[in-house]
Amino acid sequence: MQEGGHDSGPKQGCLESDALLIEKLETMDASDDHENAPSAKKSGKTSLLDSGEDFEVLDEEDIDDDLPPLEDAGGGDGDKAENGEKKNADEESEASEQLDEWLDVLGNDQLKKKVLEAGKGRGSRPQKGQNVEVNLKTSLMDGTLVEEQHNLSFTLGDGDITQALDLTVQLMEMGEKALIHTDAKYAYGARGSLEPEVPPNTPLSLEVELLEASDAPDVELMLPSQRIALAIRKRERGNVHYQRADYAFAVNSYSIALQITDSNSKVDISPEEEEELLDVKVKCLNNMAASQLKLDHYDAALKSCVSALAHQPDNIKALFRMGKVLALQGEYTEAIQTLRKALKLEPSNKTIHAELSKLVKKHSEQRGAEQAMYKKMLGNPTSSSGKQKSRAKSSWGLSWKWLFGATAVAIGGVALSVVIAARN
């Protein structure tokens, strides 16, 4: 006799005890059976596994990775090997599907990515803020080579390169080679580029290989010369965005440069280096104000100008832009005073001359319009006072006429009396 997969042949005493146990179980009432059933289930996993109950199959994402492996279940190694083979097969099929498919990155069919050679898995994807290194080959859609760059490095998400490259590299795995098709909107836009030479409104094809990704260095631990160079690089990138009329991206680059200049330094810095950092900061604030003006963000632009003037009160660019902001906000008196201060510092500046003349003219026109409005609101007091004056004049003229007539009559009467008296 075999039971539970073990050989038969137990001792007679064991058989007798088993028979007694069966007899005892048969005589127990239903309530005892219900009470003992849960404890039997808790007492060991073997009885539960050997039962004929159905088990719910869990999804992989519902399984806790920290669960210990099952013991004494049988066939464990074979199951693991089979699962591993299935997993590898799934990964291979997924990779083959990715190789054959285009990924619509933004969902508008204007920026697409296709894997040419698979990388080291999703866990190797670079993170925003890391420094990455790539090989880049840029071509026109007809295959004409525009530019080929090896070991190109940039900070991911800082806008150091085109939007197309900045967005798609974040989706690449380490060692992956990908083909990217981008609309001009996410490349060099309506203005094109002189270096590299790209005509306006030109879609591009990019072949990219992700080589390396590393965390950006701690700015506070950088040498002052490195901080200055990095801040200048970010500012210059902002200037590129400004020239392409990408004013929001320009503001972003200037903001990053300002964060670098404002960071505390944990290394020694000389007064000359501090002055150089301050000069970079003021330039960034001025350029940011110009970009914010283009975006009609007047309050933000005014704040940037005030910050620049706090460091350099006689900065002509900051004064000029502050005057423009105040004028756009309708503060003509303050704007004229600010522009006059800038003109006093640089009398030969024709741009300030023209802006000030235009502003003074506009201010006088506004004052004239305000005076006309006030007259209309008060019922035109000038015309009513004129009528009153004319009425007064006419009444005085009438009185003088009566007085002159009465005098003439009196004189005539006296003369007549004298003549009559002389004849008598």
Side-chain angles (χ1 to χ4, degrees):
M1 178 179 178
Q2 292 183 348
E3 183 179 359
H6 296 287
D7 293 338
S8 61
K11 293 181 180 180
Q12 187 68 27
C14 293
L15 290 172
E16 291 176 357
S17 62
D18 289 341
L20 290 172
L21 284 172
I22 292 170
E23 237 176 277
K24 188 175 181 179
L25 288 171
E26 288 176 351
T27 58
M28 292 174 68
D29 57 13
S31 62
D32 291 334
D33 288 335
H34 287 297
E35 290 175 0
N36 291 334
S39 63
K41 289 182 180 179
K42 291 180 181 177
S43 62
K45 293 181 180 178
T46 306
S47 62
L48 182 63
L49 290 172
D50 290 341
S51 68
E53 296 180 8
D54 293 331
F55 293 92
E56 181 182 358
V57 179
L58 297 177
D59 295 331
E60 290 184 1
E61 59 186 11
D62 294 330
I63 299 174
D64 189 356
D65 294 334
D66 296 330
L67 286 175
L70 291 174
E71 296 178 359
D72 302 330
D77 293 339
D79 291 341
K80 288 180 182 178
E82 185 179 352
N83 291 336
E85 289 175 1
K86 287 179 68 178
K87 186 176 180 181
N88 291 335
D90 291 341
E91 289 179 352
E92 288 177 4
S93 62
E94 184 180 352
S96 63
E97 288 176 2
Q98 289 179 349
L99 289 172
D100 296 335
E101 293 182 356
W102 283 97
L103 172 66
D104 191 352
V105 177
L106 300 175
N108 58 6
D109 205 36
Q110 295 181 350
L111 181 61
K112 298 185 293 184
K113 171 182 172 288
K114 180 179 180 181
V115 178
L116 300 178
E117 291 184 17
K120 297 180 180 179
R122 291 194 173 189
S124 64
R125 288 182 177 180
Q127 302 297 316
K128 188 175 180 180
Q130 285 188 316
N131 290 338
V132 296
E133 191 173 303
V134 301
N135 288 334
L136 175 64
K137 182 180 178 182
T138 305
S139 306
L140 302 180
M141 297 306 290
D142 62 2
T144 304
L145 180 64
V146 174
E147 184 182 33
E148 193 165 0
Q149 296 170 282
H150 296 282
N151 304 106
L152 172 65
S153 61
F154 56 91
T155 303
L156 200 59
D158 276 10
D160 294 343
I161 31 77
T162 60
Q163 282 183 262
L165 195 59
D166 209 357
L167 292 171
T168 51
V169 169
Q170 297 182 47
L171 303 175
M172 292 181 66
E173 301 169 359
M174 196 59 57
E176 177 185 329
K177 287 185 179 179
L179 182 64
I180 299 163
H181 285 176
T182 175
D183 186 76
K185 179 180 180 180
Y186 304 108
Y188 294 100
R191 295 174 180 263
S193 172
L194 296 176
E195 185 61 38
E197 187 175 351
V198 178
N201 296 313
T202 302
L204 294 175
S205 175
L206 311 175
E207 193 172 321
V208 188
E209 180 183 7
L210 180 57
L211 303 174
E212 185 181 342
S214 59
D215 291 335
D218 189 347
V219 177
E220 294 182 352
L221 298 177
M222 294 176 70
L223 295 174
S225 57
Q226 295 174 329
R227 282 179 62 196
I228 293 168
L230 181 59
I232 290 174
R233 259 200 324 271
K234 300 297 183 183
R235 179 177 64 84
E236 289 175 346
R237 184 63 193 175
N239 294 347
V240 172
H241 287 306
Y242 185 88
Q243 291 166 1
R244 292 178 184 163
D246 294 329
Y247 302 118
F249 288 100
V251 169
N252 180 64
S253 295
Y254 296 138
S255 299
I256 295 171
L258 286 171
Q259 291 174 7
I260 296 169
T261 59
D262 289 339
S263 297
N264 295 324
S265 180
K266 295 182 179 179
V267 297
D268 294 334
I269 181 170
S270 66
E272 292 78 12
E273 289 168 332
E274 284 185 348
E275 188 65 28
E276 193 170 355
L277 269 174
L278 181 61
D279 186 61
V280 175
K281 179 179 180 178
V282 171
K283 287 180 179 178
C284 288
L285 287 168
N286 273 328
N287 294 354
M288 180 181 282
S291 302
Q292 290 162 338
L293 269 171
K294 293 290 187 179
L295 294 169
D296 297 335
H297 297 167
Y298 301 141
D299 291 336
L302 183 61
K303 185 177 179 181
S304 298
C305 294
V306 170
S307 298
L309 291 169
H311 297 293
Q312 295 179 2
D314 292 336
N315 188 284
I316 295 173
K317 287 185 178 179
L319 288 169
F320 174 71
R321 292 195 176 108
M322 185 175 179
K324 289 192 70 173
V325 173
L326 290 169
L328 290 168
Q329 290 180 327
E331 304 291 341
Y332 293 112
T333 304
E334 293 182 32
I336 290 172
Q337 291 174 354
T338 305
L339 290 176
R340 281 176 177 167
K341 183 178 179 181
L343 190 61
K344 187 177 180 180
L345 292 168
E346 193 172 324
S348 59
N349 193 311
K350 294 180 180 180
T351 305
I352 301 176
H353 264 293
E355 189 68 25
L356 184 58
S357 300
K358 182 174 69 176
L359 188 56
V360 169
K361 182 180 178 182
K362 193 171 184 178
H363 185 40
S364 62
E365 290 175 355
Q366 186 197 36
R367 290 180 64 183
E370 288 176 353
Q371 289 177 357
M373 182 182 67
Y374 292 149
K375 288 178 181 178
K376 189 175 181 180
M377 289 173 62
L378 296 173
N380 202 356
T382 305
S383 58
S384 61
S385 61
K387 289 179 180 179
Q388 291 177 358
K389 288 180 180 179
S390 62
R391 287 175 184 174
K393 288 181 180 179
S394 60
S395 61
W396 276 104
L398 186 61
S399 301
W400 277 107
K401 288 179 180 178
W402 280 105
L403 181 61
F404 181 75
T407 304
V409 170
I411 293 172
V414 171
L416 183 60
S417 301
V418 170
V419 173
I420 294 172
R423 287 183 180 177
N424 293 334

